[in-house]
């Protein structure tokens, strides 16, 4: 393993400030003259507002102002935009109701923003918020998908009959119907993909800071993509030109997708700072996060897999009801459609696939991307079906998968659901996982567990995901309302050190290390001579942020392309300095050399010359500073095989994770240690969904799991030691060969866990169990099967 550059397991540069308490998060920032905001949130899931009386609150100590949605409307503030438009199957656009930052006359979920109290201290603002008297007139609430789709159900939005936002389809319905009708075997499954609450370690925060001297605004916010926030808030909500709006996302303590979106509080603080002509700061309390951060998942699905007599997959039909919540969040409409149904081919050669997704409004928090964003939901449907098919047909689950895998000589492979995979070796990845898990020795381990009265099971999941949404033109045709490119800007200073400006944002991924390794490897400098700048729209020209495991594949490629421009210009300067022809100069390991001679110039020497008059060609502009935009030609397609072993105590239903073994193809690996860290984090979140976490509303729309007292997060004691490995095929269409790793753990492990649990319970006749497989749910499944 190399000690520097690509492939080196370097310690993360940024960790020193984090572990010494010197990270700078939004809540660490305080502006001169700053006031503090507290949001008055609805306790009702659905109600009209007959009036708001803020008179008592305005008398409270320290209160500066109480502002409402009516004030925002009076100032011409617009609604929060949806970033993706989806079409009904007949081609008509989805129902897209207004989403005001603060409601005016009707609340639609517990936690909806009703008013903001601004005071000299946070405590004063919170105290006064309790004095705001809101006259709520309760209306019937729709809390879940079964309620939303029921005949005669109350409406969340009058303009959305049946509470449907869209009824969307993908694939060849006629061919799929024919495949199912003519199949030797059809396996059916009904399942739920449980709703999740993100719970990043850092709650969201925002500071709006208006500068009257030049009529400009700065927003400090906990965001994964500051440039997107600038675009959405400036163009659609506040009506501000981009040069008057600066967004700063400093250190961010985790996101997992939940900090991609443009939230109401960002607009409220920015608007209020001008209204009051002083900075206004808001930091969420954890209870607010539960009821205001976008939630994830929440599907009900009926799926059918058709097989021929030899066990070959011939057709797949999936019908999914997806919960969007009360409003369409930034990317909420895309998650259960283009980021979900396009993955139903998985690793397999299924020739006919059709997916129908009906998205419903409910009186709950909006649902949007959460680590994996559609890909985990697709893998769960597909891999649970494959497991059930193996049981129903009496086939080995390993052989059934292998008999249906896309083979290496079939790439590029066009799936029936829009995507074209560029490369992969699913057999090789699967074999690596089987070896890690000692799959052949499972029988003996099961027998030994039985002697202790335990039920042991093993579960498999093989999957493909799509990362780095691309290209922009195609995404636009599918409903994306912004480009999906990335920007890299590389500046070589006169002394030879380098600053890289990237539109990607780091909130735990280790960009300051990984991107420095890219630069070190290509330009030949030590990593400590490379500075990475991100998260500030005043320093970085443009960018699309971090989500969908895109940072290295898209952001890293943009940096690479900017470096190629640096080398091209440096070659011209070096040729001038060495009095050689440009075509005779080659660059390698930080040096420009005239081929076949000992004439050489280091990058630092060339950089210095680039800034010194008369040291560069007369027809060349000075400086060594280049920018590149990279718009990917296709998604990247990481793949993996996850194998889980469990032991279950039949008397209590407690599930013990005995082993989690994963082999993944994430493309070229830049830093193996960071890749392993991303894997471990994703696995922890996938285990949380499979065994512990579930967001629950009661029938009236009240959030039952509104704190850590009743929303169970995974702890260290819940996690086994992971066995991870890799079987790599490099991406063929980006210059780095990388694919992405941030989400593979959360995609592959949930179905493997449920498959293992069902395998352990199979002797009792259990065929399915929904997530989370809590001890009570497992125990009840056993009791019901035995009864």
């Amino acid at each position: 393993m190399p000690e520097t550059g690509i492939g080196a397991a370097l310690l993360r540069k940024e960790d020193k400030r984090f572990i010494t308490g010197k990270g700078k998060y939004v809540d660490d920032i305080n502006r001169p003259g700053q006031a503090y905001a507290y949001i008055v949130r609805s306790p009702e899931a659905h109600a009209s507002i007959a009036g708001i009386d803020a008179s008592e609150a305005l008398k409270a100590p320290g209160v500066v102002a109480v502002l409402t949605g009516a004030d925002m409307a009076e100032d011409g503030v617009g609604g929060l935009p949806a970033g993706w438009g989806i079409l009904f199957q007949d081609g008509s656009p989805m129902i897209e109701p207004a989403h005001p930052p603060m409601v005016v006359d009707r609340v639609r979920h517990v936690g909806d923003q009703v008013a903001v109290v601004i005071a000299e201290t946070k405590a004063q603002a919170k105290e006064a918020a309790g004095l705001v008297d809101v006259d709520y007139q309760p209306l019937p609430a729709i809390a879940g998908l079964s309620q939303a789709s029921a005949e005669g159900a109350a409406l969340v939005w009058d303009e959305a009959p049946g509470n449907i936002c869209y009824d969307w389809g993908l694939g060849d319905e006629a061919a799929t119907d024919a495949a199912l009708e003519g199949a030797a075997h059809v396996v059916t499954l009904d399942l739920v993909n449980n709703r999740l609450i993100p719970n990043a370690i850092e709650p969201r925060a925002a500071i709006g800071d208006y500068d009257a001297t030049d009529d400009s605004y700065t927003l400090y916010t906990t965001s994964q993509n500051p440039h997107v926030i600038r675009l959405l808030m400036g163009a659609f909500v506040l009506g501000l030109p981009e040069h008057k709006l600066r967004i700063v996302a400093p250190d961010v303590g985790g996101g997992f997708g939940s900090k991609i979106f443009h939230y109401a509080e960002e607009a409220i603080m920015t608007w209020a700072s001008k209204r009051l002509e002083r900075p206004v700061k808001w930091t969420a309390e954890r209870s607010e996060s539960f009821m205001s951060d976008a939630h994830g998942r929440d599907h009900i699905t009926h799926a059918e897999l058709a097989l021929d007599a030899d066990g070959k997959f011939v057709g797949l039909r999936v019908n999914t009801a997806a919960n969007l919540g009360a409003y369409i969040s930034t990317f909420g409409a895309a998650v259960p459609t283009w980021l979900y149904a396009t993955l139903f081919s998985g690793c397999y050669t299924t020739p006919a696939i059709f997916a129908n997704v009906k998205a419903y409004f409910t009186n709950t928090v909006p649902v949007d991307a959460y680590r994996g964003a559609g890909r985990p939901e697709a893998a769960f449907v597909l891999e649970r079906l494959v497991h059930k098919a193996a049981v129903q047909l009496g086939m080995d689950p390993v052989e059934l998968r292998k008999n249906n895998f896309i083979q290496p000589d079939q790439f590029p492979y066009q799936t029936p659901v829009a995507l074209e995979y560029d490369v992969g070796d699913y057999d090789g990845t699967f074999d690596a996982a089987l070896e890690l898990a000692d799959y052949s020795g499972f029988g003996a381990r099961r027998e030994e567990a039985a002697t202790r009265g335990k039920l042991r099971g093993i579960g498999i999941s093989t999957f493909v995901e799509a990362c780095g949404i691309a290209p922009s033109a195609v995404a636009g045709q599918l409903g994306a309302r912004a480009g999906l490119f990335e920007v890299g800007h590389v500046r070589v200073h006169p002394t030879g050190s380098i600053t890289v400006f990237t539109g990607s944002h780091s909130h735990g991924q280790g960009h300051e290390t990984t991107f420095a390794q890219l630069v070190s490897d290509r330009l030949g400098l030590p990593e400590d001579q490379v500075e990475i700048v991100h998260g500030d729209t005043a320093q970085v020209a443009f960018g699309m942020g971090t989500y969908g495991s895109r940072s290295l594949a898209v952001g890293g490629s943009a940096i690479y392309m900017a470096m190629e421009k640096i080398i091209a210009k440096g070659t011209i300067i070096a040729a001038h300095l060495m009095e050689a022809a440009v075509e005779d100069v080659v660059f390698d390991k930080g040096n420009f050399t005239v081929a076949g001679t000992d004439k050489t110039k280091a990058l630092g020497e060339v950089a210095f010359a680039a800034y010194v008059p008369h040291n560069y060609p007369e027809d060349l502009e000075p400086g060594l500073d280049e920018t590149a935009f990279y718009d990917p030609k296709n998604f990247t397609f990481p793949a993996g095989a996850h194998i889980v072993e469990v032991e279950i105590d039949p008397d209590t239903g407690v599930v013990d994770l005995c082993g989690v073994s994963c082999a993944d193809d994430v493309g070229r690996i830049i830093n193996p240690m960071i890749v392993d860290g991303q894997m471990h984090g994703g696995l922890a979140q996938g285990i949380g969904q499979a065994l512990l976490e579930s967001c629950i509303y009661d029938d009236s729309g009240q959030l039952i799991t509104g704190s850590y007292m009743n929303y169970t997060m995974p702890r260290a004691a819940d996690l086994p030691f992971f066995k991870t490995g890799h079987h790599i095929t490099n991406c063929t269409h980006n210059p780095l060969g990388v694919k992405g790793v941030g989400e593979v753990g959360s995609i592959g492990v949930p179905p493997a866990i449920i498959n293992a649990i069902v395998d352990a319970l199979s002797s009792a006749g259990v065929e399915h169990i929904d997530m989370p497989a809590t001890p009570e749910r497992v125990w009840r499944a056993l009791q019901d099967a035995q009864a």
Side-chain angles (χ1 to χ4, degrees), residues 262-588:
H262 177 28
Y263 284 100
E265 295 86 358
E266 295 168 324
I268 294 169
M269 298 308 124
T270 306
W271 164 77
S273 70
K274 180 176 183 179
R275 183 118 177 173
L276 302 181
E277 294 196 355
R278 62 187 294 190
V280 182
K281 179 178 184 177
W282 167 81
T283 302
E285 297 180 340
R286 185 59 68 177
S287 59
E288 282 185 281
S289 298
F290 274 88
M291 66 176 74
S292 65
D293 290 6
H295 293 173
R297 315 288 194 249
D298 203 346
H299 289 186
I300 295 175
T301 295
H302 175 75
E304 301 163 277
L305 178 65
L307 303 91
D308 69 13
D310 297 321
K312 291 290 287 185
F313 303 160
V314 296
L316 172 67
R317 182 164 58 205
V318 179
N319 292 287
T320 291
N323 192 342
L324 294 183
Y327 305 97
I328 304 174
S329 182
T330 307
F331 295 116
V335 173
T337 52
W338 293 112
L339 300 182
Y340 169 63
T342 51
L343 274 301
F344 280 140
S345 275
C347 306
Y348 310 115
T349 57
T350 313
I353 300 174
F354 181 73
N356 172 232
V357 178
K358 292 180 181 177
Y360 291 89
F361 292 111
T362 62
N363 293 117
T364 63
V365 173
V367 177
D368 209 317
Y370 175 73
R371 198 168 192 165
R375 284 71 57 86
E377 296 93 312
F380 190 70
V381 171
L382 193 54
E383 290 306 296
R384 284 293 297 120
L385 272 173
V386 173
H387 177 92
K388 188 174 181 182
V391 173
Q392 191 168 309
L393 274 65
M395 297 184 68
D396 182 336
V398 172
E399 292 308 311
L400 179 61
R401 286 175 168 85
K402 285 185 169 242
N403 288 343
N404 284 281
F405 276 164
I406 302 163
Q407 295 303 305
D409 62 2
Q410 292 178 277
F411 292 100
Y413 183 82
Q414 178 63 55
T415 75
V417 278
L419 299 180
E420 182 181 89
Y421 303 160
D422 64 323
V423 68
D425 180 5
Y426 306 142
D427 281 290
T429 304
F430 195 13
D431 287 341
L434 292 168
E435 184 175 349
L436 279 172
D438 184 21
Y439 187 83
S440 61
F442 170 70
R445 295 191 293 275
R446 171 176 262 175
E447 290 178 5
E448 189 279 328
T451 66
R452 294 181 281 107
K454 299 295 177 69
L455 304 174
R456 197 168 182 117
I458 194 163
I460 295 168
S461 169
T462 54
F463 63 93
V464 176
E465 70 157 319
C467 296
I469 304 172
S472 291
V474 173
Q477 293 169 9
L478 303 182
R481 294 171 175 172
L484 298 166
F485 53 82
E486 197 48 80
V487 179
H489 175 188
V490 177
R491 178 178 298 157
V492 186
H493 298 286
T495 55
S497 62
I498 292 175
T499 299
V500 174
F501 303 86
T502 175
S504 298
H505 184 277
S506 180
H507 41 280
Q509 294 88 346
H511 292 178
E512 293 174 36
T513 303
T514 304
F515 286 166
Q517 287 181 251
L518 287 182
V519 176
S520 172
D521 193 86
R522 187 68 185 105
L523 298 184
L525 272 75
E527 285 86 355
D528 62 8
Q529 294 296 303
V530 182
E531 175 193 26
I532 308 298
V533 176
H534 63 93
D536 186 345
T537 62
Q539 294 194 71
V540 181
F542 205 81
M544 296 306 296
T546 293
Y547 49 85
S549 300
R550 74 189 298 271
S551 285
L552 195 55
V554 188
S557 292
I559 293 169
Y560 180 89
M561 291 173 65
M563 288 192 290
E564 292 303 294
K565 290 183 177 182
I566 291 287
I567 292 169
K569 184 173 181 180
T571 300
I572 296 170
I573 298 170
H576 175 78
L577 294 173
M578 295 184 288
E579 299 180 336
V582 172
E583 56 270 22
D584 290 337
V585 176
V586 295
F587 180 79
D588 184 51

Side-chain angles (χ1 to χ4, degrees), residues 226-261:
H227 291 87
V228 174
I229 302 307
R230 183 179 67 176
L231 173 64
L232 296 178
M233 187 170 73
F236 299 100
V237 186
L238 299 182
L240 302 174
E242 286 179 300
H243 73 287
K244 292 292 186 182
L245 180 57
R246 177 189 179 195
I247 310 295
V248 180
D251 290 328
V252 173
F256 316 118
S258 70
K259 293 174 182 172
I260 297 171
F261 328 120

Side-chain angles (χ1 to χ4, degrees), residues 53-130:
D53 183 357
S55 57
E56 292 302 312
L58 287 165
K59 297 174 187 176
V63 172
V64 175
V66 179
L67 303 173
T68 66
D71 296 315
M72 297 192 87
E74 183 181 282
D75 284 354
V77 174
L80 305 179
W84 206 292
I86 298 298
L87 301 178
F88 279 78
Q89 292 190 66
D90 64 7
S92 57
M94 69 183 187
I95 307 299
E96 191 172 349
H99 186 182
M102 287 195 289
V103 301
V104 176
D105 55 9
R106 194 166 168 182
V107 296
R108 286 182 166 83
H109 69 86
V110 171
D112 222 346
Q113 297 81 217
V114 175
V116 58
V117 178
I118 301 169
E120 298 295 345
T121 69
K122 183 176 180 178
Q124 290 172 333
K126 183 177 180 178
E127 185 74 20

